Amino acid sequence: MPTSKLSSSVWERCGNLSLADPLFDVPARVEILLGADIYPMVWSHETVSLGHGYPTAFNSIFGWAIVGPLQNLKAPILGPYLFRYPHQSNL
């Protein structure tokens, strides 16, 4: 979901991990969106800090996922969020 290619310093910090999406730093459309009820089934609870100001790597059944903001970006990248609002018939 990045809006621009990430710096090579991110690759240097996660290059030894088998990534779920080897092209995670290439801006592209979202291919899959998982609901919060699925997270416990896919995350292994194993994490690797990439360092201060860098995202964190989370291990999953798909491979490692790089999650979080970069401190040196001009504008924060917001992750996907899914909100469910109850339907009210009187609206």
Side-chain angles (χ1 to χ4, degrees):
M1 295 226 356
T3 56
S4 61
K5 266 187 93 65
L6 301 178
S7 72
S8 60
S9 65
V10 175
W11 274 112
E12 292 167 5
R13 293 169 180 262
C14 66
N16 63 328
L17 301 174
S18 177
L19 299 177
D21 181 4
L23 301 175
F24 79 97
D25 68 325
V26 177
R29 63 184 179 90
V30 174
E31 294 177 13
I32 185 172
L33 183 63
L34 302 175
D37 57 328
I38 302 298
Y39 284 161
M41 293 181 244
V42 300
W43 298 117
S44 72
H45 304 289
E46 184 180 5
T47 63
V48 173
S49 172
L50 300 181
H52 179 72
Y54 286 88
T56 301
F58 288 85
N59 199 6
S60 76
I61 62 173
F62 307 111
W64 288 87
I66 308 302
V67 179
L70 286 171
Q71 194 174 49
N72 61 350
L73 292 178
K74 293 179 182 173
I77 295 175
L78 300 177
Y81 296 97
L82 177 62
F83 296 97
R84 181 176 174 185
Y85 295 95
H87 176 72
Q88 294 182 3
S89 61
N90 60 348
L91 293 179

